[in-house]
Amino acid sequence: SYRCNPDFKSLFFNYTIHKSWDHKQALLLAEIKSYNADIYCFQDIDHYEDFWYPTLTTLGYSIVYKQRTQEKDYHTEGIAIAFKSDRFQLTKTVILELNQSPLEDSGSIPPSFQEKCRTDDVGLILFLQPYQPNDIPTGLCIGNIMLDEGIHNHDVRVFHCKYFLKQLEKE
């Protein structure tokens, strides 16, 4: 799992001098190649069309991407799960809009908390089947979620995690 910082967030970091996208993408590519992982989960990625998709497909990965919801604010970033195309086949994709999480229990959740839960965050659940059954005897379920980073939103993160796990169990 790898949290990348989109351009607009990188501008505020004081601990790095690598804020330009050209420099950052070269570092990301080198790191991704060094791991050579079968499966990656990425959070907070932007440049999906011009970097992530072409780069990962060239490296032999299939990728499922979900941009953050745009109900509350404008967001260019999202999450992705990439897996080696020659090792796994995708059997099911579940996309979760976390803005919808409090609506399922709307009778028991105060309207003020429902509004607080509208963070535009998203989740992905993928079900993968290996091509070689002797590698992994059963399929895999891979989950990836983007959670609100607000300092006062611990309760929202917990609520969204519970929702994500409930959806995962349901699937």
Side-chain angles (χ1 to χ4, degrees):
S1 186
Y2 202 96
R3 180 169 180 234
C4 305
N5 290 305
D7 287 345
F8 78 93
K9 289 182 182 177
S10 296
L11 298 174
F12 302 104
F13 293 145
N14 295 324
Y15 60 81
T16 181
I17 59 169
H18 307 298
K19 296 180 183 184
S20 79
W21 173 243
D22 291 337
H23 190 75
K24 213 165 85 172
Q25 73 180 341
L27 293 172
L28 286 167
L29 180 57
E31 192 155 349
I32 288 167
K33 285 181 173 180
S34 74
Y35 294 136
N36 192 29
D38 290 337
I39 300 169
Y40 288 105
C41 292
F42 298 104
Q43 303 86 31
D44 263 349
I45 64 170
D46 53 2
H47 297 282
Y48 175 73
E49 295 290 331
D50 63 331
F51 174 72
W52 291 102
Y53 180 78
T55 299
L56 291 172
T57 54
T58 300
L59 293 174
Y61 292 90
S62 293
I63 184 168
V64 177
Y65 171 77
K66 174 62 178 135
Q67 185 175 347
R68 287 181 69 189
T69 308
Q70 309 238 2
E71 292 176 15
K72 192 168 185 175
D73 290 312
Y74 175 73
H75 301 284
T76 59
E77 75 280 11
I79 62 173
I81 300 174
F83 56 92
K84 285 200 173 172
S85 303
D86 62 349
R87 294 225 38 214
F88 301 100
Q89 61 183 325
L90 179 63
T91 58
K92 185 176 183 179
T93 301
V94 179
I95 296 172
L96 298 173
E97 302 274 348
L98 299 184
N99 282 353
Q100 302 303 313
S101 62
L103 300 178
E104 284 197 356
D105 300 320
S106 59
S108 60
I109 297 175
S112 60
F113 187 69
Q114 286 183 29
E115 183 56 34
K116 188 177 179 184
C117 285
R118 289 175 33 89
T119 60
D120 290 341
D121 291 329
V122 292
L124 277 174
I125 301 169
L126 300 189
F127 292 87
L128 304 175
Q129 189 67 41
Y131 284 119
Q132 301 296 324
N134 55 348
D135 280 353
I136 303 168
T138 61
L140 295 173
C141 175
I142 307 295
N144 192 11
I145 186 171
M146 178 182 285
L147 295 173
D148 186 74
E149 19 181 79
I151 193 166
H152 300 291
N153 282 353
H154 174 72
D155 54 347
V156 172
R157 286 190 297 276
V158 169
F159 187 82
H160 283 162
C161 280
K162 286 181 180 179
Y163 173 75
F164 183 80
L165 291 172
K166 186 162 62 167
Q167 298 306 308
L168 183 64
E169 187 177 63
K170 188 167 84 172
E171 296 297 330

